[in-house]
């Protein structure tokens, strides 16, 4: 555990960057520090590895005051990843990753071997080992930065906006990689960002800072979104926090209707009676492999010759789908809002249709997700 006890940092010019901070950062989890620019996130992070010396209070790692440790030695037990990766431009990728093992006096071959393993771990191709940083994309450079920080297998990893300089698609994949890595490695990660979406996605716990270097709230993401302590936190996490909270509820709890899913070979006459029995305005048409083809409305069916097969009618594009086993209520809601039929299509992990759910049924499920989902209904 990393503990901040009544920690203040005042710079020589009088700026109070961090003001009486108390925080307990759990071992083996990812804790995110988030807040607007200038609120003291970087300063807090750097007090852990003594790149910034605190003015008063105590920062301790597993009970040991960091001030009792030689800074250079301390830093070798703490990985540090920054925006733009901060790689050495004249060293190859492999040697950048092996930086700390070299410093620790490891045998060169062993250090490079370890660097090679880490490249694989963070999703870099072996062929990139001999390249120089400028020959890599921004996302690849960040991966090298993460690998370098992990090289000596430090128990603690500090990450300061590591993914903020890459485009949103690469950023999302780096975030997913980090989640996967962390599942495997269980480091004590302290991650700084000013993006609340990123914080909620990767954090086990989130510390929201307010301007002036004060802690506003420290909580698990779910509770932060449900119960922001004040208007500042509420404003910071955004107006759609209720909807975002739905990402904590699994879609597999939904009951899906399969009676409105019909094969493309079904006749219009048969489909009319299916729609009437189901009292539904839309049927989902699927191919023989049970993959979605499109929607047909009851209205279209009423106007079609009874012997026409559904596959030969003009179907409405089926829009978005969600994966029942792995997606959240948020993904299901999103799929229903984006669907031309106002209904979300739930599929198996292999892409075959399980059933569909209407917005009304989704609303009921969201409501009954318990107290937890109340913000969506606006009963705040
Ligand atoms: N060396 C310094 N001397 C004086 N003031 C500093 C110094 N470093 C940081 N500050 C000030 O301390 C405050 C906190 O800075 P810090 O870098 O910790 O913020 P941050 O939350 O990381 O911001 P950002 O999101 O922009 O990175 C700011 O007001 C900043 O101007
Ligand atoms: Mg910063």
């Amino acid at each position: 555990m990393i503990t901040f006890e009544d920690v203040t940092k005042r710079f020589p010019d009088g700026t109070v960057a961090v003001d009486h901070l108390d925080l307990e950062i759990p071992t083996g989890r990812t804790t995110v520090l988030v807040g607007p620019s200038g609120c003291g996130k970087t300063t807090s992070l750097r007090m852990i590895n003594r790149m910034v010396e605190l003015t008063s209070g105590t920062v301790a790692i597993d009970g040991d005051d960091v001030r009792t440790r030689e800074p250079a030695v301390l830093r070798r037990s703490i990985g540090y990843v920054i925006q733009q990766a901060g790689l050495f431009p004249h060293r190859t990728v492999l040697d950048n990753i092996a930086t700390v093992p070299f410093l620790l006096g490891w045998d060169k071959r062993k250090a490079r071997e370890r660097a090679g393993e880490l490249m694989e771990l963070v999703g870099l191709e072996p062929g990139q080992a001999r390249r120089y940083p400028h020959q890599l994309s921004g996302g690849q450079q960040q991966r090298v930065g993460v690998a370098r920080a992990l090289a000596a297998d430090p128990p603690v990893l500090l990450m300061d906006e590591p993914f903020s300089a890459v485009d949103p698609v690469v950023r999302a994949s780096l975030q997913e990689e980090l989640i996967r890595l962390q599942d495997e490695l269980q480091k004590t990660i302290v991650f700084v960002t000013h993006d609340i979406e990123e914080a909620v996605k990767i954090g086990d716990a989130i510390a929201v800072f307010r301007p002036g270097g004060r802690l506003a709230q420290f909580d698990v993401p779910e509770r932060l979104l449900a119960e922001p302590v004040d208007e500042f936190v509420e404003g910071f996490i955004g107006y759609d926090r209720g909807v975002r909270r739905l990402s904590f509820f699994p879609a597999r709890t939904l009951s899906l209707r399969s009676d409105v899913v019909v094969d493309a070979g079904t006749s219009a006459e048969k489909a009319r009676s299916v729609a009437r029995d189901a009292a539904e305005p839309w049927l989902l048409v699927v191919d023989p492999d049970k993959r979605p083809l499109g929607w047909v409305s009851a209205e279209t069916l009423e106007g079609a010759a009874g012997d026409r097969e559904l596959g030969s009618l003009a179907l409405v594009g089926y829009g978005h789908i969600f994966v029942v086993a792995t997606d959240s209520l948020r993904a299901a809601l999103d799929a229903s809002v984006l669907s031309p039929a106002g209904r979300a299509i739930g599929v198996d992990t292999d892409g075959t249709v399980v059933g569909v759910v209407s917005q009304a049924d989704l609303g009921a499920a969201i409501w009954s997700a318990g107290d937890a989902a109340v913000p969506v209904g606006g009963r705040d």
Side-chain angles (χ1 to χ4, degrees), residues 11-13 15-17 35-44 160-161 192 194:
F11 284 106
D13 67 357
T15 306
V16 176
S37 189
C39 67
K41 304 179 294 292
T42 296
T43 305
S44 299
D160 194 350
E161 308 216 27
V192 166
H194 44 244

Side-chain angles (χ1 to χ4, degrees), residues 105-152:
W106 290 23
D107 170 82
K108 286 227 157 164
R109 221 181 65 198
K110 185 179 149 210
R112 290 195 173 120
E113 225 172 79
R114 167 76 179 150
E117 288 165 20
L118 282 159
M119 285 186 66
E120 197 184 329
L121 188 72
V122 300
L124 289 163
E125 300 294 330
Q128 292 161 338
R130 312 203 68 82
R131 290 204 196 163
Y132 290 89
H134 76 273
Q135 297 170 312
L136 299 180
S137 72
Q140 289 164 343
Q141 289 181 29
Q142 286 308 127
R143 288 170 199 266
V144 177
V146 172
R148 183 177 63 176
L150 289 169

Side-chain angles (χ1 to χ4, degrees), residues 38-92:
C39 67
K41 304 179 294 292
T42 296
T43 305
S44 299
L45 197 72
R46 290 174 158 216
M47 287 191 288
I48 299 172
N49 66 3
R50 294 189 63 186
M51 289 174 77
V52 169
E53 296 289 357
L54 50 77
T55 309
S56 62
T58 310
V59 175
I61 301 178
D62 294 333
D64 288 336
D65 188 331
V66 294
R67 281 170 302 186
T68 62
R69 308 270 304 275
E70 187 61 41
V73 177
L74 178 73
R75 275 171 223 156
R76 279 174 216 158
S77 68
I78 301 179
Y80 187 47
V81 187
I82 54 171
Q83 196 183 8
Q84 313 281 18
L87 303 176
F88 299 114
H90 303 301
R91 285 192 198 164
T92 61

Side-chain angles (χ1 to χ4, degrees), residues 262-268 285-287 293-294 296 301 307-315:
V262 286
D263 196 84
T266 311
S267 69
V285 183
V286 296
D287 71 11
L293 289 173
V296 64
L301 288 173
D307 58 354
R308 286 278 297 271
E309 289 194 355
L310 297 184
S312 72
L313 297 176
L315 303 177

Side-chain angles (χ1 to χ4, degrees), residues 30 62 64 100 158 178 189 198 243 259 290 307 343-344 346 372:
T30 303
D62 294 333
D64 288 336
V100 177
L158 309 180
L178 180 66
I189 297 181
E198 182 167 74
V243 175
D259 58 331
K290 291 213 77 179
D307 58 354
R343 279 148 177 77

